[in-house]
């Protein structure tokens, strides 16, 4: 786990985001995320949508948004005192409105 307090968890989450950028592949695009908040069992990130995150219509790619959900839920799990990652077995995403290049989105995950 990240540490006892919120600052320790935020530091852990920031380090996780930094490591995504260093590993390449699809995870490299996650380096654009910024940690907004973190607490035990909770992770909130922001992302300004940029071209690597989009489909040919210039909006956030549905597959990339699923990747965000998968990653941020794992980060929330790892911020718990046990610090164990999980595996997404079943995800259901509902798309209400397209996010365009330059728009900022928030991604929030909380463990129950």
């Amino acid at each position: 786990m990240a540490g006892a307090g919120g600052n320790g968890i935020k530091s852990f989450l920031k380090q996780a985001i930094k490591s995504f950028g260093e590993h390449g592949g699809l995870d490299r695009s996650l380096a654009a995320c910024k940690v907004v908040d973190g607490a035990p069992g909770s992770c909130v990130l922001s992302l300004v949508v940029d071209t690597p995150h989009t489909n040919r219509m210039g909006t956030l790619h549905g597959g990339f948004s699923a990747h965000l959900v998968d990653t941020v839920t794992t980060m929330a799990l790892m911020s718990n005192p046990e610090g164990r990652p999980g595996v997404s077995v079943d995800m259901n995403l509902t798309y209400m409105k397209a996010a365009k290049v330059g728009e900022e989105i928030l991604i929030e995950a909380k463990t129950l």
Side-chain angles (χ1 to χ4, degrees):
M1 199 232 6
N7 285 338
I9 291 174
K10 281 182 155 180
S11 294
F12 164 75
L13 296 173
K14 288 177 182 179
Q15 184 59 40
I17 293 296
K18 182 181 176 195
S19 73
F20 292 140
E22 295 169 352
H23 283 46
L26 183 59
D27 285 345
R28 181 177 302 170
S29 295
L30 296 169
C33 291
K34 304 291 182 219
V35 175
V36 174
D37 199 12
S42 175
C43 176
V44 183
L45 303 180
S46 69
L47 172 73
V48 175
V49 178
D50 198 3
T51 304
H53 313 128
T54 62
N55 56 30
R56 61 176 61 188
M57 300 300 291
T59 60
L60 184 64
H61 193 289
F64 187 73
S65 62
H67 181 53
L68 286 170
V69 169
D70 184 48
T71 301
V72 176
T73 54
T74 297
M75 292 172 73
L77 284 169
M78 292 184 70
S79 70
N80 275 315
E82 301 83 26
R84 292 186 210 144
V87 176
S88 295
V89 177
D90 183 30
M91 293 194 314
N92 180 20
L93 281 73
T94 302
Y95 302 95
M96 299 184 301
K97 182 181 176 190
K100 299 175 183 145
V101 170
E103 292 182 339
E104 181 180 24
I105 62 169
L106 291 177
I107 311 98
E108 179 178 7
K110 293 183 180 182
T111 60
L112 301 176

